Each structure stands twice: as structure tokens, then as C-alpha cells.
Amino acid sequence: QVQLVESGGGAVQAGGSLRLSCAASISIFSFKSMGWYRQPPGGQRELVADITAGGSTNYADSVKGRFTISRDNAKNTVYLQMNSLQPEDTAVYYCNAAIGSLRTSWGQGTQVTVSS
């Protein structure tokens, strides 16, 4: 099974920044897409950003202009740079990948907590 391990979360003040990393156990070069999702306390998991193999990106309206998703194929890692963090960004963040017609299972995620 493909393993995806999220890291980089933490507790920050509003306006701060974090960079999340999602490291894959295999090459991500051929992945159709990779994405970051988040699940706030008591809420549903939602797409935050994704990036295709061709480099196209998509962002939720709530994070557009503040978050940037990127991919480093050499390191088998996708990143989520989060700037100007707001309390509503507080959530467990997960990464997921589309491999052909399949998707990876959900891992443990990484907690992001933003205080005002």
C-alpha cells in the first residue's frame, strides 16, 4: 500500500504561517493528482487544495491567496504553504493522492491550531 505521512502541523497565532509536508512511500511522479484536505472540529472533511501531475492547482475559496500547494517529485513530497492563518483554518489536515483511478486511504493527518 502507498503510505502518505503528513507532518508540519502545530499551534500558531492568527497571521502566522506553517508549511505542511506529505511524504509518500513511493514515487509521486506518476500520481494523477495530490491534494490537501482538512477536517475542522465537529466538521466535515473538505478539499483545501490539489495539484495535478501537470502542475495545475485548485484551491478552496476560503484559502485562495493564502495557501500554496506544491510538489517536489524528487523528494516524493507535496507541500502546503499556509500563510495568514486564521482561527477558522484550525483542523486536522490530511493529504491524499489519486493514482490512476484509485485514491490513497486516509492517514493520521497533522493538527493545525490557530489562535486569535
Side-chain angles (χ1 to χ4, degrees):
Q1 295 184 10
V2 177
Q3 300 291 318
L4 300 177
V5 180
E6 303 95 339
S7 63
V12 298
Q13 293 286 108
S17 298
L18 287 171
R19 188 178 74 157
L20 306 184
S21 298
C22 174
S25 60
I26 65 172
S27 174
I28 66 170
F29 178 79
S30 61
F31 285 16
K32 184 177 180 180
S33 67
M34 296 189 73
W36 284 97
Y37 299 74
R38 67 186 182 187
Q39 186 168 17
Q44 298 292 107
R45 184 155 48 211
E46 63 182 5
L47 176 68
V48 177
D50 59 25
I51 184 167
T52 69
S56 297
T57 57
N58 177 62
Y59 298 92
D61 288 342
S62 59
V63 307
K64 189 172 295 184
R66 299 187 297 118
F67 291 10
T68 303
I69 188 170
S70 62
R71 185 180 62 234
D72 187 336
N73 291 337
K75 296 185 180 296
N76 297 327
T77 301
V78 65
Y79 302 97
L80 184 68
Q81 178 66 47
M82 306 185 296
N83 298 325
S84 301
L85 283 162
Q86 304 168 10
E88 53 263 42
D89 296 318
T90 294
V92 178
Y93 284 71
Y94 302 88
C95 63
N96 193 263
I99 308 170
S101 62
L102 303 177
R103 286 194 173 273
T104 58
S105 59
W106 302 108
Q108 294 297 109
T110 186
Q111 176 71 50
V112 171
T113 303
V114 185
S115 59
S116 60

